Amino acid sequence: MFHHAMKTADNNSPHYRTCNLTEAMCGIEITVRADKSLDIRGDKDDPFSRGYICPKAVALQDIHYDKDRLKHPVRRTQNGWQRIGWDEAFNEVAQNLKRINRKYGRNSIATYLGNPTVHNYGALLFAPGFIRSLHTRNRFSATSVDQLAHHLAAYLMFGHQLLLPVPDLDRTKLFLILGANPAVSNGSMMTAPGVGRRLQQIRQRGGKVILIDPRFTETARLADRHLFIKPGTDVLLLLALLHVVFEEGLTDVGPLAAFTKGVETIGNLVAEFPPEKVASLTGVDSSQIRLLAREFASAESAVCYGRIGVSTQEFGGVCQWLINVLNIVTGNLDRPGGAMFTLPAFDPLSAPESLAPRGSFARWHSRVRNLPEFAGELPVVTLAEEILTEGPSQIKALVTSAGTPCYRRRTAVDWIGR
Ligand code: SF4
């Protein structure tokens, strides 16, 4: 989108576009100055971001004018990078992919998609088709770094990996945050530009913002209460919160009861986790846990949200599952001020399976470490060993798009053929 702005930015009138760096999708106003530098501001009329931008939007021009920006194919040679033509590049890549496929089998070709893929219509539309055409099981992406826990919970609980409920920030009366720093991320996995203002508004309308985090973050400055927790113990805290909700008869599934199964089973499971038992393990005082559970269950509306701090730990999947459970059993799923499902212009539920797959789990496992696939991809944590460990289906070629799985700086399609 930014790119289009630049193509047409030949006069002084502002161009209105969307910052495509992150999912917050802030509206931006771009004006080209006489010296060709860009004046990038938040678009006050954007109904979603309402004028908010973060410093990264202003820095978009640094990418645009970066002298190292790759604008044509290059080939690595003994004498460094050599510029080649597009036809030559496509031909060489296609021939090598065919050769490697013939010699080592289809799983010898791996793919890695970086985060910007989902912020680009072209990549979003055409990358899946290209990857499917390779018929490889060695598919990786940035998704498995930090957010598959959300998708797994959504797939197992709601039947589709993209049915991700998001906090109704603008109406909630109690926002409980675990392991997230939305004041900086602008609401990762909930798309909320200008989150600082929204958190202040919760408090201004008499609500509360409560943060559970081992670190005093930027979000902690905006919260009513910050409870420090020992890293990696969120699962115990969530179980203890649910323990109190069940023990004190505070469950109220509401209209969801007609299609919610297993609430009693959860009650039996969490019976083993009273706050007094988990307090020393989590570092959160049992009286604080009890108070929080009561506040959450009795609030006019409440929503629990957890992000990278709870997803990227041993029990990440269970944490995201329990967060959904807490919202469900307190009647806060699918209601104003709670965790709500979105009404997207593109509805994944009615889309063809090829465009928005429902999800899958453990249909196959990675070769070296036996990790399960999710929705056709393997956790990227195993990519290096799948390249380095010899044997059938060892990765011999890697196609990356908009990603840096080796933590190297790279901007376009990177090709490694052996
Ligand atoms: S939060 Fe920053 S990087 Fe993300 S879309 Fe908004 S301006 Fe761009």
Side-chain angles (χ1 to χ4, degrees), residues 48 178 199 281 342-343 373 381:
F48 198 48
L178 285 92
L199 296 185
L281 297 165
T342 58
L343 294 171
E373 64 83 37
V381 68

mmCIF file with all atom_site columns, all heavy atoms in Angstrom, residues 48 178 199 281 342-343 373 381:
data_model
loop_
_atom_site.group_PDB
_atom_site.id
_atom_site.type_symbol
_atom_site.label_atom_id
_atom_site.label_alt_id
_atom_site.label_comp_id
_atom_site.label_asym_id
_atom_site.label_entity_id
_atom_site.label_seq_id
_atom_site.pdbx_PDB_ins_code
_atom_site.Cartn_x
_atom_site.Cartn_y
_atom_site.Cartn_z
_atom_site.occupancy
_atom_site.B_iso_or_equiv
_atom_site.pdbx_formal_charge
_atom_site.auth_seq_id
_atom_site.auth_comp_id
_atom_site.auth_asym_id
_atom_site.auth_atom_id
_atom_site.pdbx_PDB_model_num
ATOM 1  N N   . PHE A 1 48  ? -10.528 3.507   12.146 1.00 0.00 ? 48  PHE A N   1
ATOM 2  C CA  . PHE A 1 48  ? -9.986  2.465   13.000 1.00 0.00 ? 48  PHE A CA  1
ATOM 3  C C   . PHE A 1 48  ? -8.884  2.998   13.916 1.00 0.00 ? 48  PHE A C   1
ATOM 4  O O   . PHE A 1 48  ? -8.936  2.853   15.128 1.00 0.00 ? 48  PHE A O   1
ATOM 5  C CB  . PHE A 1 48  ? -9.466  1.356   12.096 1.00 0.00 ? 48  PHE A CB  1
ATOM 6  C CG  . PHE A 1 48  ? -9.258  0.058   12.786 1.00 0.00 ? 48  PHE A CG  1
ATOM 7  C CD1 . PHE A 1 48  ? -10.233 -0.478  13.605 1.00 0.00 ? 48  PHE A CD1 1
ATOM 8  C CD2 . PHE A 1 48  ? -8.084  -0.639  12.602 1.00 0.00 ? 48  PHE A CD2 1
ATOM 9  C CE1 . PHE A 1 48  ? -10.035 -1.677  14.245 1.00 0.00 ? 48  PHE A CE1 1
ATOM 10 C CE2 . PHE A 1 48  ? -7.874  -1.846  13.233 1.00 0.00 ? 48  PHE A CE2 1
ATOM 11 C CZ  . PHE A 1 48  ? -8.852  -2.363  14.058 1.00 0.00 ? 48  PHE A CZ  1
ATOM 12 N N   . LEU A 1 178 ? -2.350  -11.047 30.346 1.00 0.00 ? 178 LEU A N   1
ATOM 13 C CA  . LEU A 1 178 ? -1.254  -11.912 30.795 1.00 0.00 ? 178 LEU A CA  1
ATOM 14 C C   . LEU A 1 178 ? -0.159  -11.932 29.743 1.00 0.00 ? 178 LEU A C   1
ATOM 15 O O   . LEU A 1 178 ? -0.424  -12.206 28.568 1.00 0.00 ? 178 LEU A O   1
ATOM 16 C CB  . LEU A 1 178 ? -1.728  -13.354 30.989 1.00 0.00 ? 178 LEU A CB  1
ATOM 17 C CG  . LEU A 1 178 ? -2.560  -13.679 32.220 1.00 0.00 ? 178 LEU A CG  1
ATOM 18 C CD1 . LEU A 1 178 ? -4.027  -13.543 31.911 1.00 0.00 ? 178 LEU A CD1 1
ATOM 19 C CD2 . LEU A 1 178 ? -2.263  -15.095 32.685 1.00 0.00 ? 178 LEU A CD2 1
ATOM 20 N N   . LEU A 1 199 ? -6.845  1.891   26.730 1.00 0.00 ? 199 LEU A N   1
ATOM 21 C CA  . LEU A 1 199 ? -6.710  1.433   28.112 1.00 0.00 ? 199 LEU A CA  1
ATOM 22 C C   . LEU A 1 199 ? -7.104  2.549   29.080 1.00 0.00 ? 199 LEU A C   1
ATOM 23 O O   . LEU A 1 199 ? -7.776  2.307   30.093 1.00 0.00 ? 199 LEU A O   1
ATOM 24 C CB  . LEU A 1 199 ? -5.271  0.976   28.399 1.00 0.00 ? 199 LEU A CB  1
ATOM 25 C CG  . LEU A 1 199 ? -4.768  -0.246  27.615 1.00 0.00 ? 199 LEU A CG  1
ATOM 26 C CD1 . LEU A 1 199 ? -3.378  -0.660  28.092 1.00 0.00 ? 199 LEU A CD1 1
ATOM 27 C CD2 . LEU A 1 199 ? -5.711  -1.427  27.732 1.00 0.00 ? 199 LEU A CD2 1
ATOM 28 N N   . LEU A 1 281 ? 4.540   -21.141 43.865 1.00 0.00 ? 281 LEU A N   1
ATOM 29 C CA  . LEU A 1 281 ? 5.095   -21.486 42.551 1.00 0.00 ? 281 LEU A CA  1
ATOM 30 C C   . LEU A 1 281 ? 4.999   -20.311 41.571 1.00 0.00 ? 281 LEU A C   1
ATOM 31 O O   . LEU A 1 281 ? 5.896   -20.082 40.760 1.00 0.00 ? 281 LEU A O   1
ATOM 32 C CB  . LEU A 1 281 ? 4.353   -22.703 41.966 1.00 0.00 ? 281 LEU A CB  1
ATOM 33 C CG  . LEU A 1 281 ? 4.479   -23.993 42.781 1.00 0.00 ? 281 LEU A CG  1
ATOM 34 C CD1 . LEU A 1 281 ? 3.446   -25.018 42.345 1.00 0.00 ? 281 LEU A CD1 1
ATOM 35 C CD2 . LEU A 1 281 ? 5.892   -24.560 42.635 1.00 0.00 ? 281 LEU A CD2 1
ATOM 36 N N   . THR A 1 342 ? -14.891 -11.622 15.331 1.00 0.00 ? 342 THR A N   1
ATOM 37 C CA  . THR A 1 342 ? -15.003 -10.495 14.402 1.00 0.00 ? 342 THR A CA  1
ATOM 38 C C   . THR A 1 342 ? -15.964 -10.822 13.253 1.00 0.00 ? 342 THR A C   1
ATOM 39 O O   . THR A 1 342 ? -16.335 -11.975 13.046 1.00 0.00 ? 342 THR A O   1
ATOM 40 C CB  . THR A 1 342 ? -13.623 -10.154 13.810 1.00 0.00 ? 342 THR A CB  1
ATOM 41 O OG1 . THR A 1 342 ? -13.128 -11.320 13.160 1.00 0.00 ? 342 THR A OG1 1
ATOM 42 C CG2 . THR A 1 342 ? -12.657 -9.732  14.889 1.00 0.00 ? 342 THR A CG2 1
ATOM 43 N N   . LEU A 1 343 ? -16.349 -9.795  12.536 1.00 0.00 ? 343 LEU A N   1
ATOM 44 C CA  . LEU A 1 343 ? -17.179 -9.964  11.341 1.00 0.00 ? 343 LEU A CA  1
ATOM 45 C C   . LEU A 1 343 ? -16.371 -9.471  10.143 1.00 0.00 ? 343 LEU A C   1
ATOM 46 O O   . LEU A 1 343 ? -16.554 -8.357  9.666  1.00 0.00 ? 343 LEU A O   1
ATOM 47 C CB  . LEU A 1 343 ? -18.477 -9.155  11.477 1.00 0.00 ? 343 LEU A CB  1
ATOM 48 C CG  . LEU A 1 343 ? -19.423 -9.628  12.581 1.00 0.00 ? 343 LEU A CG  1
ATOM 49 C CD1 . LEU A 1 343 ? -20.554 -8.633  12.765 1.00 0.00 ? 343 LEU A CD1 1
ATOM 50 C CD2 . LEU A 1 343 ? -19.986 -11.005 12.240 1.00 0.00 ? 343 LEU A CD2 1
ATOM 51 N N   . GLU A 1 373 ? 2.751   -31.485 13.197 1.00 0.00 ? 373 GLU A N   1
ATOM 52 C CA  . GLU A 1 373 ? 2.379   -30.388 12.285 1.00 0.00 ? 373 GLU A CA  1
ATOM 53 C C   . GLU A 1 373 ? 1.145   -29.697 12.826 1.00 0.00 ? 373 GLU A C   1
ATOM 54 O O   . GLU A 1 373 ? 0.370   -30.276 13.580 1.00 0.00 ? 373 GLU A O   1
ATOM 55 C CB  . GLU A 1 373 ? 2.104   -30.915 10.876 1.00 0.00 ? 373 GLU A CB  1
ATOM 56 C CG  . GLU A 1 373 ? 0.913   -31.872 10.736 1.00 0.00 ? 373 GLU A CG  1
ATOM 57 C CD  . GLU A 1 373 ? -0.473  -31.244 10.611 1.00 0.00 ? 373 GLU A CD  1
ATOM 58 O OE1 . GLU A 1 373 ? -0.594  -30.193 9.965  1.00 0.00 ? 373 GLU A OE1 1
ATOM 59 O OE2 . GLU A 1 373 ? -1.443  -31.809 11.140 1.00 0.00 ? 373 GLU A OE2 1
ATOM 60 N N   . VAL A 1 381 ? 11.166  -24.018 14.964 1.00 0.00 ? 381 VAL A N   1
ATOM 61 C CA  . VAL A 1 381 ? 12.267  -24.328 15.877 1.00 0.00 ? 381 VAL A CA  1
ATOM 62 C C   . VAL A 1 381 ? 13.049  -25.556 15.386 1.00 0.00 ? 381 VAL A C   1
ATOM 63 O O   . VAL A 1 381 ? 14.219  -25.730 15.715 1.00 0.00 ? 381 VAL A O   1
ATOM 64 C CB  . VAL A 1 381 ? 11.708  -24.560 17.310 1.00 0.00 ? 381 VAL A CB  1
ATOM 65 C CG1 . VAL A 1 381 ? 10.872  -25.829 17.392 1.00 0.00 ? 381 VAL A CG1 1
ATOM 66 C CG2 . VAL A 1 381 ? 12.822  -24.614 18.326 1.00 0.00 ? 381 VAL A CG2 1
#
